[in-house]
């Protein structure tokens, strides 16, 4: 093929270096934290009332969600790459 379609299908994108895994995990953590904040804001705007925690509590929960999703994605990436599902 002239566009390298066969070669690009055989080789994955970025190598699984520790730095690349950490960056990917940090980005997924940010996605998780911001997704929680977006859902909480949507509930406050459209929901029947306010949330049982304040803005500071929401920030702490968002940080916990971000840390958990970053840790899970960092641990799961090795398994997904081993099964070639990335």
């Amino acid at each position: 093929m002239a566009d390298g379609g066969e070669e690009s299908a055989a080789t994955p994108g970025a190598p699984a270096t520790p730095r690349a895994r950490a960056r990917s995990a940090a980005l997924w953590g940010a996605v998780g934290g911001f997704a929680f904040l977006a859902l909480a804001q949507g509930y406050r705007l459209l929901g029947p009332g306010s949330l049982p925690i304040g803005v500071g509590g929401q920030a702490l929960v968002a940080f916990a969600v971000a840390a958990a999703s970053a840790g899970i994605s960092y641990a799961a990436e090795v398994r997904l790459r081993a099964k070639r599902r990335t």
Side-chain angles (χ1 to χ4, degrees):
M1 270 183 137
D3 63 352
E6 292 176 17
E7 181 180 329
S8 63
T11 58
T17 63
R19 182 176 176 177
R21 286 181 58 212
R23 182 199 291 167
S24 175
L27 290 173
W28 279 114
V31 167
F34 285 127
F36 171 79
L37 289 174
L39 288 172
Q41 185 67 25
Y43 182 82
R44 289 179 70 152
L45 290 172
L46 303 175
S50 64
L51 292 171
I53 58 174
V55 176
Q58 289 177 15
L60 288 175
V61 172
F63 182 75
V65 168
S69 60
I72 290 170
S73 67
Y74 187 82
E77 186 173 356
V78 173
R79 186 169 175 91
L80 291 174
R81 280 197 180 268
K83 291 186 175 188
R84 298 176 189 242
R85 293 185 182 171
T86 58

